[in-house]
Amino acid sequence: YLNFIFLNLQLKMDSFKRTHDGAEPSNMQPMKRSSATLSLLVSNEHAGAVIGPKGATLNAVRESTGCRCAVESTPTPEHERIVTLTATSVESAIAGIDAILTALFSAQSPPTGITFLVAPQCVGAVIGKNGSVINGLRTSTGCDIKVQ
């Protein structure tokens, strides 16, 4: 799962404009680095594992990774809650997602799957040409990855 997140973050947080062939033009100026926001859905019953007692897990994720993270207080109609993580670097985003997933899968009754919300403009990069990226992720992780 971290390979997927890293790929998504690399696309969103690349601090330089590149030409079509990937070479850096000589007049290239660094862009202002902004934060990247990642979102995932967790069932209402698993939201407590992410939040922790009195918010302890969320606070620990914030302190250890430097990410901002929050869990929506109102569930979706499907009884899921949106967990949002905002980071200013790829490293902190990976650490934040790792901490959240560790909390989820350490729960007494862990979830059987995770749904990541991917921006429409990034879906093509997740799939790759002729499905090469998503198939590579399926093979390397053994995960059943679906794009809906």
Side-chain angles (χ1 to χ4, degrees), residues 14-29 31:
D14 187 4
S15 63
F16 294 99
K17 292 182 180 178
R18 300 197 183 275
T19 61
H20 183 66
D21 65 358
E24 294 182 7
S26 59
N27 63 348
M28 183 174 60
Q29 296 294 318
M31 293 171 43

Side-chain angles (χ1 to χ4, degrees), residues 22-75:
E24 294 182 7
S26 59
N27 63 348
M28 183 174 60
Q29 296 294 318
M31 293 171 43
K32 288 184 179 179
R33 186 172 287 249
S34 61
S35 59
T37 300
L38 301 157
S39 299
L40 60 128
L41 296 175
V42 297
S43 68
N44 207 24
E45 67 184 84
H46 291 108
V50 175
I51 297 167
K54 297 184 181 180
T57 303
L58 277 181
N59 288 333
V61 170
R62 290 179 189 126
E63 290 175 19
S64 67
T65 67
C67 296
R68 290 183 313 198
C69 53
V71 178
E72 289 289 326
S73 58
T74 307

Side-chain angles (χ1 to χ4, degrees), residues 8 14 29 36 78-79 84 96 111 118 135-136 140-141 145-146 148:
N8 192 13
D14 187 4
Q29 296 294 318
E78 293 80 23
H79 307 288
T84 305
V118 179
N135 288 331
S140 67
T141 64
I145 303 171
K146 298 176 186 172
Q148 299 177 334

Side-chain angles (χ1 to χ4, degrees), residues 9 33 63 72 82 88 90-91 101 105 116-117 136 139 144-145:
L9 286 172
R33 186 172 287 249
E63 290 175 19
E72 289 289 326
I82 299 172
T88 57
V90 173
E91 294 80 13
L101 293 178
F105 289 104
F116 283 93
L117 303 176
T139 301
D144 180 23
I145 303 171

